[in-house]
């Protein structure tokens, strides 16, 4: 009988120990979960806080709205150089009658004269730089072009363009005396007659340059 009592006490002690181990295990598991949970929360909180911080992305990285608008805005076309005076800005082509002309015999080089064409209007016009027609009355055909090709460019009110006229080559004998030339900005226009200052000149092989912005360049060829 004493043996049976000891067995029951032993069983009761083992049962109590088992319950204690189970309880301790459960407490340790809860503690581990409590320690693990805060490690996930800071990243979420950090991401929430990060959404309140201004973006540091630069141009080209999909940055802020203000950065994107500055990249696509740029300078308005109307304020870019030459756009107000270009063809797209409503400036028309210069016509022969829009300009005033002066032809003066040059001291250098020999057999040359300088044509000065001045915008006598109050508005700019687009000068056809490479279509100038010079004709000597009494001679057949217009003067040949010499020198580089020109480009159309804006001639503002009061501004001048220059072209060189060669009347005679040194290796060509003979010629016709002339005291005036006929000038047209394009072959399709009616020419205007311009007297030759310091003339007359002897003409045997007329040549003319395109328009230049300086008299020195015009008399180079």
């Amino acid at each position: 009988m004493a043996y049976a009592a000891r067995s029951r006490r032993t069983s009761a002690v083992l049962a109590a120990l088992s319950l204690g181990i189970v309880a301790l295990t459960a407490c340790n598991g809860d503690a581990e979960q409590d320690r693990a949970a805060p490690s996930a929360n800071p990243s979420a909180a950090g991401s929430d806080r990060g959404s309140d911080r201004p973006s540091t992305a630069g141009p080209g990285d999909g940055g802020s709205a203000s950065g994107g608008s500055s990249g696509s805005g740029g300078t308005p076309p109307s304020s870019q150089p030459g756009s107000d005076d270009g063809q797209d800005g409503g400036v028309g082509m210069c016509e022969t009658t829009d300009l005033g002309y002066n032809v003066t015999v040059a001291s250098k080089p020999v057999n040359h004269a300088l044509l000065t064409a001045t915008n006598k209007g109050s508005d700019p016009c687009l000068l056809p730089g490479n279509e100038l027609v010079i004709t000597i009355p009494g001679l057949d055909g217009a003067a040949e072009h010499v020198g580089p090709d020109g480009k159309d460019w804006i001639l503002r009110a009061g501004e001048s363009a220059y072209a060189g006229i060669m009347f005679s080559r040194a290796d060509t004998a003979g010629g016709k005396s002339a005291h005036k030339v006929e000038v047209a900005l394009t072959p399709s226009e009616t020419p205007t007659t311009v007297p030759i200052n310091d003339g007359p000149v002897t003409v045997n092989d007329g040549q003319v340059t395109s328009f230049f912005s300086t008299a020195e360049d015009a008399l180079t060829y």
Side-chain angles (χ1 to χ4, degrees):
M1 296 299 293
Y3 175 80
R6 284 196 299 270
S7 298
R8 286 194 293 268
R9 286 196 299 270
T10 301
S11 299
V13 170
L14 292 174
L17 289 174
S18 298
L19 290 174
I21 291 171
V22 171
L24 180 61
T25 302
C27 291
N28 290 338
D30 293 339
E32 290 175 357
Q33 289 179 356
D34 292 339
R35 286 194 300 270
S39 65
N41 290 335
S43 62
S47 63
D48 292 339
R49 290 192 300 270
S51 63
D52 296 333
R53 291 195 297 269
S55 173
T56 58
D61 295 330
S64 63
S66 61
S69 62
S70 63
S72 61
T75 304
S78 61
S79 64
Q80 294 177 0
S83 62
D84 289 341
D85 294 333
Q87 286 177 295
D88 293 340
V91 176
M93 296 296 293
C94 297
E95 297 182 359
T96 300
T97 55
D98 293 332
L99 309 184
Y101 305 93
N102 183 61
V103 177
T104 302
V105 174
S107 57
K108 292 182 181 179
V110 296
N111 303 326
H112 280 67
L114 178 68
L115 168 65
T116 303
T118 304
N119 184 352
K120 61 183 182 180
S122 58
D123 297 317
C125 60
L126 191 65
L127 180 70
N130 198 42
E131 300 184 64
L132 178 61
V133 179
I134 298 294
T135 306
I136 308 298
L139 294 182
D140 294 333
E144 297 179 356
H145 271 262
V146 65
D149 289 342
K151 294 182 179 180
D152 297 354
W153 49 288
I154 294 295
L155 191 65
R156 293 177 173 82
E159 288 186 337
S160 297
Y162 306 90
I165 303 173
M166 185 172 71
F167 293 112
S168 178
R169 291 183 179 178
D171 59 352
T172 303
K176 176 181 177 60
S177 179
H179 62 273
K180 59 185 177 182
V181 298
E182 292 181 346
V183 179
L185 296 183
T186 64
S188 62
E189 294 186 79
T190 301
T192 183
T193 301
V194 182
I196 301 173
N197 297 323
D198 300 328
V201 296
T202 299
V203 182
N204 55 33
D205 191 7
Q207 291 183 320
V208 64
T209 69
S210 298
F211 277 118
F212 291 89
S213 59
T214 68
E216 290 77 12
D217 288 338
L219 291 174
T220 301
Y221 305 95

